[in-house]
Amino acid sequence: MAKELVIYFSVYGTAKIVAEEIAKQRGADIAEIVPAVPYDSNRDNYNALARLAKKEHDEDLRPEIKNDIDIESYDRIYIGYPMWWYTFPMIIYTLFDKYDFSGKTIVPFNTHMGSKDGGTYETIKKLEPGAKVLTGLPVEMKEAEKGPEKAVERWLRDLEL
Ligand SMILES: Cc1cc2nc3c(=O)[nH]c(=O)nc-3n(C[C@H](O)[C@H](O)[C@H](O)COP(=O)(O)O)c2cc1C
């Protein structure tokens, strides 16, 4: 059986909920992308986070990842993140700059408030041409908070892994 890892980035905790559900259903290992400079997870401060995320996006920044993630031991890697400004957070670009996923299978997923995947699954294919990218799972934020068990279960079944 393929060795599986779930990698995720999450500030408000909803991509984390989906990541943990995937890891649970697949018996996969899990690793969080920890930013060197933490983001403010207090939802009352959304406007400040929105401004910071916009700046990172507009200036094409690569926020540093604090931790090392072992991807070499895994064949199939789930990668999850929230939608930020119609694309993925810039730290996900850092991830793809830092690690080479050639020869691996990437299974993307994300949380959002209406943008679905925002075309990011196609972006992953361009950034990692040597990887096989399977059909991703976009999960609406409220759905993730209610519990993504069913959605994850259906998606994993349809992937026929
Ligand atoms: C800075 C920022 C920008 C966002 N931009 C979008 C967006 O463009 N489209 C969308 O559908 N949701 C957007 N959202 C909503 C998030 O994708 C949603 O809240 C997600 O569930 C957060 O994931 P997390 O709980 O793992 O951090 C944005 C949220 C933040 C904080």
Side-chain angles (χ1 to χ4, degrees):
M1 225 178 90
K3 270 201 82 182
E4 300 191 330
L5 174 68
V6 181
I7 299 176
Y8 72 94
F9 172 70
S10 180
V11 172
Y12 292 157
T14 57
K16 179 180 184 180
I17 294 171
V18 181
E20 289 178 341
E21 185 59 35
I22 295 167
K24 185 173 148 204
Q25 292 192 23
R26 294 297 304 174
D29 291 335
I30 189 161
E32 180 176 6
I33 297 169
V34 182
V37 180
Y39 292 92
D40 188 347
S41 60
N42 183 340
R43 295 185 192 191
D44 292 339
N45 301 331
Y46 168 81
N47 287 342
L49 178 58
R51 267 196 305 276
L52 173 59
K54 179 102 175 44
K55 178 175 160 35
E56 288 181 355
H57 178 264
D58 291 352
E59 296 179 12
D60 201 24
L61 301 182
R62 296 289 182 276
E64 193 186 330
I65 298 174
K66 188 175 174 183
N67 53 325
D68 285 320
I69 299 171
D70 164 31
I71 71 159
E72 286 318 313
S73 314
Y74 299 91
D75 314 301
R76 189 182 293 136
I77 304 177
Y78 302 79
I79 300 178
Y81 45 84
M83 235 340 85
W84 276 11
W85 292 107
Y86 311 105
T87 182
F88 40 49
M90 299 310 288
I91 201 164
I92 299 297
Y93 279 99
T94 311
L95 179 81
F96 289 122
D97 282 359
K98 194 169 166 186
Y99 297 98
D100 180 6
F101 289 83
S102 296
K104 303 195 181 292
T105 298
I106 295 175
V107 198
F109 63 97
N110 74 284
T111 49
H112 66 92
M113 283 179 70
S115 295
K116 304 271 178 72
D117 81 291
T120 54
Y121 303 160
E122 288 304 313
T123 306
I124 293 173
K125 286 181 191 165
K126 291 197 188 95
L127 293 173
E128 295 293 336
K132 183 176 176 192
V133 181
L134 302 188
T135 305
L137 177 71
V139 183
E140 212 274 321
M141 183 180 199
K142 284 206 179 67
E143 192 193 334
E145 287 179 327
K146 269 192 270 168
E149 297 89 343
K150 287 277 172 329
V152 167
E153 206 178 294
R154 249 192 329 268
W155 169 60
L156 290 173
R157 196 184 51 228
D158 290 349
L159 285 176
E160 298 179 342
L161 300 169

